[in-house]
Amino acid sequence: MKRLLVASTSTVHGGSFLEYLMPELQHFFEGASELLFIPFARPGGISHEKYTTVAANAFKQLNITARGLHEFEDKAEALRRSQAIYTGGGNTF
């Protein structure tokens, strides 16, 4: 079964990326060791690579390796094969 969590914001004022969601993320993605991150919201116009690095650093706290969807040539296949998916940001929807 796929696990997909869509958050309307990744950062609450004064906090770090996903900090406020960590307890829920830990429970929600229990059993996943890899995660597919959809970095297309790109806050502040940062690159897909930089945004994926931000997410990957956050998910490391949960012992989950995150890779960006942009890294895959066949994006549909990457989505089908993923253990878990995370996306955030209003313009991602």
Side-chain angles (χ1 to χ4, degrees):
M1 175 171 66
K2 300 284 187 208
R3 301 297 310 227
L4 173 66
L5 177 66
V6 180
S8 64
T9 187
S10 299
T11 308
V12 173
H13 180 72
S16 61
F17 185 80
L18 299 178
E19 179 182 11
Y20 80 103
L21 284 173
M22 280 299 168
E24 181 61 28
L25 291 171
Q26 184 171 19
H27 172 73
F28 192 82
F29 291 124
E30 185 175 14
S33 60
E34 298 176 352
L35 178 136
L36 185 63
F37 175 60
I38 303 174
F40 301 140
R42 297 183 328 129
I46 65 173
S47 70
H48 295 132
E49 291 79 12
K50 285 185 180 180
Y51 194 25
T52 299
T53 298
V54 170
N57 287 336
F59 281 104
K60 272 185 197 176
Q61 298 174 52
L62 303 176
N63 296 315
I64 297 174
T65 301
R67 290 187 61 197
L69 182 60
H70 67 287
E71 299 175 41
F72 296 87
E73 187 172 322
D74 188 339
K75 292 168 179 35
E77 184 64 17
L79 287 163
R80 278 191 292 276
R81 292 181 175 254
S82 65
Q83 290 180 1
I85 301 167
Y86 175 80
T87 189
N91 58 353
T92 307
F93 310 141

